[in-house]
Amino acid sequence: MDPFLISVLSNIGLFSFLALSAWLLLIGGEISFGQQAYFAFGAYGGGIATAVWGWPFPLALLWGAGLGAGVGALVAWPAARLSGVHYAIATLAFAELTRASLNIFRYQRDVDGYLTGPDGANGFGDIRWVYETGIAPGTYLALIAGLLFAVITAIALASRFNLLAQLRMVGEDPILAGMQGLHVLRWKVGAAAAAGAIAGLGGGLYAHLATYVEPAQFSVMTGVHAVAYGLIGGLGTALGPILGVLIDIGLLESLRALAAYRMIVFGGLVALILILRPRGILDESLVAKVRAWARR
Amino acid sequence: MLDLVQNTVDGIAAGAAYALLAIGFTLIFGVMRRLNIAFGPSIMVGVFLGAWVHAQWSAGLVGAAVATFIGALIASAYIERLSFAAIRGDAALASMASSFALWMQLEQGVALAFPGRTTAFPGLPALPDLETAGLFLRGDDIMILAVAGIVLIALHRLIYHSHFGLEMRALADNPEAARVAQVNTKRVAFLTFCLAATVGAVAGVLIAAADGQISPKFGLWATLKGLIAMMIGGLGSLRGALLGGLVLGVVEAQAQWYLGAAAREIIVYGLLFVCLILLPAGLAGVRDTGAARKL
């Protein structure tokens, strides 16, 4: 396959993790501007695990995802008691706090004669596991796609057991959901943990593909993009956020003629879509219609 | 000790500008119940138009300021039409995402029109520095404090002693009741957007003129400062926005002086996070701001 195509597809896959994690919270009725923080936890945690501690790659990915889940739950536990605006700004504050802290985070150890590990604002290079093992870009893309598929399957399974419907209830009307016997706070913290895990997993994959990460990559802009993907693509299905990523990166990155006006085109497109469909292209009513049609 | 006081004085001057940004946010949130995260970028469009007018015709500060107001008003009207008026009132998420989309547009538009990293902005008229008992008050700071004070007094009169202010407060308090009481809610909402843009433009001119230059990062910067100040002070409260802005300015100045720039960021965002968790009602202690309603 063409290397350019592979890199675009890999990017789409990695951003899909971030978009899915923001989408899961949107389903639960919360906006998070801070999913990039858990992406960063996954990237730094996973990177340190392989590059500094010499852990095997799968364990490092798991560690990154676990880190994302744990921190995500810890942040949501106090924040989910507050209003929606407070939650959005609290997650933003936490994410910027993470970025600012990574700017002074130094953890370098001697690995094979080289100082390896995060070096504050200079970033964290030499996460070379993928290259040392000789994994081709195409194979790594297959790995990203496979894990993304696994996440989507897990979400589909969750909706099979009505878990997603209950989360939607919590998001739509917390008071009513509480009266139906759902523990609202537990659901919100659980959703944040799952979202953190998805973002952390994506972050670990990202760090090993890029081999170099720096704090500036995990800015507010990244997080707000992740939220926008779900809102454009639609809140009705887990394919919504991925459609959002496809529209942004896939369509616009490939149309090189539009490169200079990318944000102007993308921004205008999003504004129009949101006027016509406030809950995204693949919104709940469209998904319900498709389901009904498929059942016939 | 002298340093501490001096930093506080410097911080209050910076905080006055933050407070104006926070008030702009609060005005919009108050009547819309939705966040306009493109507020900072709309001011950025203004200051860049101001810088351009200054570069074209060497218009000086007055010309640049007028152009800033016009630019901010046009950008705000664009955002209001597309992201707020055109989207149903109950789709708060969509409005926020849409305002973000327009932010992208504005930022790239400005970056295309002004390719340099920074653009020059005319400086403030030189006032003499004041010095008493070892304390310095820079001329620029005096100017910022004076202008911010005048704007605050004018705003107070407008909001609490005019018919338009009454309509605005009615809309913020209860949109349904305001509609029943014959308030033209669409018109009031639009005008509030323009008012917020005007207040924001004053802050934009003060900040840009004190710095002498502007960069396309101004939009993100202004949105973050305004949001932080608003949330620390208490969402939906104008007094809170003023208080939050001043506290943010002073904390930043102290942290910068004693701990350096990297620690300043950590302290500001840490303070914001802790404030949100422990004091969700803000320093002004607002109980019913409507923020408890679904976003």
Side-chain angles (χ1 to χ4, degrees), chain A residues 176-197:
Chain A
L176 187 61
M179 283 165 64
Q180 303 282 331
L182 293 180
H183 197 301
V184 172
L185 187 65
R186 218 175 279 166
W187 274 96
K188 294 209 164 184
V189 174

Side-chain angles (χ1 to χ4, degrees), chain A residues 31 33 78 82-83 85-86 89-90 93 96-97 99-100 104 221 224 231 260-264 267-268 270 274-275 278, chain B residues 82 86 91 93-94 96-98 100-101 103-105 108 112 231 235 262 265-266 269-270 272-273 276-277 280 291 294-295:
Chain A
I31 286 195
F33 286 139
L82 309 171
S83 79
V85 180
H86 282 81
I89 308 298
E96 284 293 277
L97 186 62
R99 186 185 57 77
I104 58 164
M221 275 296 160
V224 188
L231 283 168
Y261 303 96
R262 176 175 161 186
M263 286 305 171
I264 294 180
V270 173
L274 288 172
I275 290 171
Chain B
L82 246 65
L93 287 181
M96 196 148 82
S98 172
F100 170 68
W103 168 348
M104 302 275 85
Q105 279 195 315
Q108 188 158 43
L112 283 174
M231 299 308 288
L235 179 60
E265 268 198 299
I266 295 179
Y269 288 111
L272 174 61
F273 189 72
L276 285 170
I277 302 298
K294 216 179 117 199
L295 179 75

Side-chain angles (χ1 to χ4, degrees), chain B residues 88 173 239:
Chain B
R88 284 202 323 262
D173 196 44
R239 261 184 313 145

Side-chain angles (χ1 to χ4, degrees), chain B residues 240-290:
Chain B
L242 175 60
L243 198 60
L246 295 179
V247 168
L248 177 62
V250 172
V251 169
E252 272 195 346
Q254 302 289 6
Q256 170 90 35
W257 177 262
Y258 288 109
L259 301 163
R264 184 194 65 192
E265 268 198 299
I266 295 179
I267 286 182
V268 166
Y269 288 111
L271 172 79
L272 174 61
F273 189 72
V274 171
C275 258
L276 285 170
I277 302 298
L278 299 181
L279 267 181
L283 295 174
V286 210
R287 286 273 161 256
D288 181 34
T289 60

Side-chain angles (χ1 to χ4, degrees), chain B residues 34-265:
Chain B
R34 295 180 255 178
L35 278 183
N36 171 22
I37 55 173
F39 180 62
S42 68
I43 301 165
M44 174 190 65
V45 171
V47 288
F48 268 93
L49 192 68
W52 181 77
V53 166
H54 176 65
Q56 287 292 315
W57 298 294
S58 55
L61 186 62
V62 176
V66 171
T68 302
F69 284 111
I70 294 171
L73 279 174
I74 293 173
S76 282
Y78 177 64
I79 294 165
E80 200 270 343
R81 288 289 102 188
L82 246 65
S83 299
F84 290 84
I87 290 178
R88 284 202 323 262
D90 57 341
L93 287 181
S95 281
M96 196 148 82
S98 172
S99 64
F100 170 68
L102 298 189
W103 168 348
M104 302 275 85
Q105 279 195 315
L106 297 180
E107 191 164 301
Q108 188 158 43
V110 163
L112 283 174
F114 299 88
R117 284 175 71 104
T118 57
T119 309
F121 199 89
L124 290 170
L127 288 182
D129 296 346
L130 279 183
E131 196 192 344
T132 37
L135 278 181
F136 251 108
L137 189 56
R138 289 187 302 126
D140 279 5
D141 289 348
I142 299 172
M143 193 73 188
I144 291 177
L145 286 170
V147 174
I150 293 168
V151 170
L152 285 175
I153 292 166
L155 256 182
H156 188 268
R157 274 212 65 82
L158 182 68
I159 294 171
Y160 294 100
H161 300 280
S162 80
H163 187 70
F164 171 68
L166 186 64
E167 288 187 323
M168 208 164 76
R169 283 181 291 140
L171 182 56
D173 196 44
N174 188 335
E176 283 82 21
R179 209 166 292 130
V180 171
Q182 307 280 311
V183 173
N184 185 345
T185 51
K186 283 182 180 157
R187 184 178 142 270
V188 174
F190 182 75
L191 287 177
T192 305
F193 244 83
C194 295
L195 179 64
T198 311
V199 176
V202 174
V205 169
L206 290 176
I207 294 162
D211 277 356
Q213 58 178 29
I214 44 177
S215 85
K217 296 218 183 256
F218 183 85
L220 176 65
W221 183 88
T223 286
L224 283 181
K225 297 293 179 205
L227 271 181
I228 295 173
M230 173 171 82
M231 299 308 288
I232 292 180
L235 179 60
S237 153
L238 288 167
R239 261 184 313 145
L242 175 60
L243 198 60
L246 295 179
V247 168
L248 177 62
V250 172
V251 169
E252 272 195 346
Q254 302 289 6
Q256 170 90 35
W257 177 262
Y258 288 109
L259 301 163
R264 184 194 65 192
E265 268 198 299

Side-chain angles (χ1 to χ4, degrees), chain A residues 42-149:
Chain A
Y44 272 77
I48 290 173
T50 58
V52 183
W53 299 337
W55 286 14
F57 180 60
L59 200 60
L61 280 187
L62 214 60
W63 157 242
L67 212 54
V71 181
L74 270 182
V75 172
W77 184 64
R81 295 159 206 268
L82 309 171
S83 79
V85 180
H86 282 81
Y87 190 92
I89 308 298
T91 48
L92 183 145
F94 179 76
E96 284 293 277
L97 186 62
T98 305
R99 186 185 57 77
S101 305
L102 286 176
N103 264 331
I104 58 164
F105 175 55
R106 281 192 183 78
Y107 179 78
Q108 293 196 299
R109 296 290 175 275
D110 197 317
V111 180
D112 304 331
Y114 291 100
L115 263 186
T116 311
D119 180 23
N122 296 327
F124 175 16
D126 285 328
I127 310 170
R128 308 197 54 85
W129 187 87
V130 170
Y131 296 87
E132 278 165 2
T133 326
I135 292 178
T139 318
Y140 200 72
L141 172 61
L143 177 68
I144 294 173
L147 285 174
L148 187 61
F149 185 73

